[in-house]
């Protein structure tokens, strides 16, 4: 078995068929890969649809479990997987036609721990054909360790833009955190730091659907607060990760700088969410004191190659001046509630 797909699903009846069809419409025999659909106690027809597909295709397996969140669902799928490589795909996304063979050939050719590739986001309609499949040549691909990769690339938080060697993943001991958001942002960074052989193939392979109803765009007060505090947790986890980077590595300084940037991005977007929430403003100083202890505040590493522009710079200036935060949020909140 070459590859295992793990697809966590919660109420995805609308998009799951397109996702599954895209995997079945690849240049590989169904004997070469398996698709593990993890139903996280969906309330719609997700389980029925997944079961219907599994009844037709022997390489599709369905795991029906109690709701535990996306991290737990992915971990459960990982535990079932048997492929040499593993790919965590979201059910509202899909792969474009006939890219899977090229991706697998490349990761095997270079015996990589992780292979990253290109993704294109969309809201409504998008091409299902790769923009550059016919022009991609994997010869001479630059292979580096994960610390060097982080140092040299603005990497994404999500886990759907890379394929991983399953034995490497298991040996690393890295798993998705459960019961919290930002689980993929944490796993991706932890996994990259463990990798000895990584490469990027500039192949247009994946389609990422922007959904206004997605979990990260949910604006209910309870969910909003949870995302705020889970961003805070991610900032602390990144601090622990930074401590593991060996100082004698030639890319250590650049890697740590990028990880600090990403760590401070959690704080920045946490503060943006705080502005729009009903979390008492008086709680903010204590949170900032905690971030100061782990060098996640002030936001002195945030603005740079990864995050830049007038909007970012203005908000960082506000957030870095503690005396400005309270009056700014008190002014912002009623305006936001009026015009959102």
């Amino acid at each position: 078995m070459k590859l295992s797909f793990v697809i966590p699903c919660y109420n995805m009846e609308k998009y799951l068929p397109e996702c599954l069809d895209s995997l079945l419409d690849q240049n590989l025999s169904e004997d070469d890969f398996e698709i593990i659909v993890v139903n996280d106690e969906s309330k719609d027809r997700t389980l029925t649809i997944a079961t219907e597909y599994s009844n037709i295709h022997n390489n599709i397996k369905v795991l029906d479990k109690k709701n535990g969140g996306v991290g737990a669902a992915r971990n459960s799928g990982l535990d079932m997987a048997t492929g040499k490589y593993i790919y965590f795909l979201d059910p509202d996304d899909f792969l474009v036609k006939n890219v899977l063979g090229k991706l697998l050939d490349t990761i095997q050719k270079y015996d990589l721990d992780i292979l990253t590739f290109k993704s294109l986001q969309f809201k409504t309609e998008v091409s299902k054909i790769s923009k550059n499949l016919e022009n991609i040549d994997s010869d001479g691909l630059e292979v580096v360790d994960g610390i060097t990769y982080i140092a040299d690339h603005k990497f994404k938080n999500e886990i759907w833009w890379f394929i991983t060697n399953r034995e490497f993943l298991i040996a690393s001991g890295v798993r998705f955190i459960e019961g919290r958001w930002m689980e993929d942002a944490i796993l991706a960074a932890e996994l990259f730091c463990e990798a000895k052989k990584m490469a990027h193939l500039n192949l247009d392979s994946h389609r990422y659907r922007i959904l206004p109803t997605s979990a990260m765009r949910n604006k209910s007060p309870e969910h909003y607060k949870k995302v705020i505090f889970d961003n805070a947790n991610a900032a602390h986890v990144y601090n622990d990760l930074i401590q593991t980077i060996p100082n004698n590595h030639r890319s250590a300084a650049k890697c740590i700088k990028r990880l600090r940037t990403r760590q401070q991005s959690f704080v920045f977007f946490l503060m943006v969410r705080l502005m729009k929430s009903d979390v008492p403003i008086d709680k903010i100083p204590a949170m900032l004191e905690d971030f100061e202890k782990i060098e996640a505040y002030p936001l002195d590493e945030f603005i740079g190659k990864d995050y830049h522009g007038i909007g970012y710079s203005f908000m960082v200036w506000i957030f870095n001046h503690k005396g400005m935060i309270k009056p700014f949020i008190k002014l912002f909140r009623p305006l936001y509630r009026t015009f959102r």
Side-chain angles (χ1 to χ4, degrees), residues 61-237:
K61 305 173 183 178
V62 180
L63 173 60
D64 186 27
K65 63 183 292 295
K66 290 287 186 181
N67 182 267
V70 65
R74 286 173 175 152
N75 284 335
S76 296
L78 170 60
D79 292 339
M80 280 186 63
T82 61
K84 181 176 181 181
Y85 302 100
I86 191 161
Y87 180 26
F88 298 96
L89 180 64
D90 287 345
D92 49 341
D93 299 342
F94 60 89
L95 288 185
V96 296
K97 187 179 179 66
N98 288 341
V99 295
L100 195 52
K102 186 67 174 180
L103 293 173
L104 286 176
D105 286 347
T106 302
I107 195 171
Q108 291 179 96
K109 176 181 178 180
Y110 291 94
D111 190 26
L112 300 174
D113 296 325
I114 299 171
L115 175 67
T116 66
F117 43 85
K118 289 185 68 175
S119 173
L120 177 67
Q121 68 180 33
F122 73 101
K123 290 184 179 181
T124 53
E125 298 295 325
V126 69
S127 173
K128 296 183 179 181
I129 304 298
S130 175
K131 294 182 176 181
N132 62 350
L133 175 60
E134 303 303 321
N135 302 319
I136 285 292
D137 184 357
S138 65
D139 289 343
L141 206 64
E142 182 184 18
V143 178
V144 298
D145 63 82
I147 291 174
T148 302
Y149 188 98
I150 291 174
D152 295 339
H153 295 82
K154 180 186 177 181
F155 64 97
K156 296 181 176 69
N157 283 334
E158 297 83 5
I159 44 80
W160 35 248
W161 65 288
F162 59 88
I163 294 175
T164 306
N165 181 296
R166 186 172 62 87
E167 287 189 2
F168 156 72
L169 173 54
I170 293 172
S172 74
V174 175
R175 289 174 70 85
F176 292 97
I177 59 170
E178 300 187 8
R180 289 184 181 272
W181 296 110
M182 311 310 298
E183 77 292 332
D184 48 355
I186 291 172
L187 179 133
E190 290 179 335
L191 205 57
F192 285 15
C193 287
E194 293 287 334
K196 298 294 185 272
K197 298 177 70 176
M198 281 189 67
H200 178 75
L201 185 66
N202 198 38
L203 175 62
D204 172 38
S205 305
H206 175 265
R207 296 292 180 262
Y208 168 55
R209 190 188 309 270
I210 303 295
L211 288 178
T213 57
S214 70
M216 293 307 293
R217 290 173 174 79
N218 185 334
K219 295 184 179 181
S220 69
E222 182 180 350
H223 181 84
Y224 222 62
K225 290 177 185 177
K226 178 169 176 54
V227 173
I228 287 170
F229 291 106
D230 286 352
N231 266 270
N233 175 71
H236 282 272
V237 173

Side-chain angles (χ1 to χ4, degrees), residues 282-311:
D282 292 341
K283 289 184 176 291
I284 296 177
M287 296 178 70
L288 295 181
E289 286 181 15
D290 283 342
F291 293 140
E292 284 179 311
K293 295 174 184 176
I294 59 171
E295 299 182 50
Y297 182 84
L299 305 177
D300 50 7
E301 297 283 359
F302 179 67
I303 298 296
K305 290 190 294 185
D306 292 358
Y307 299 95
H308 50 83
I310 295 176

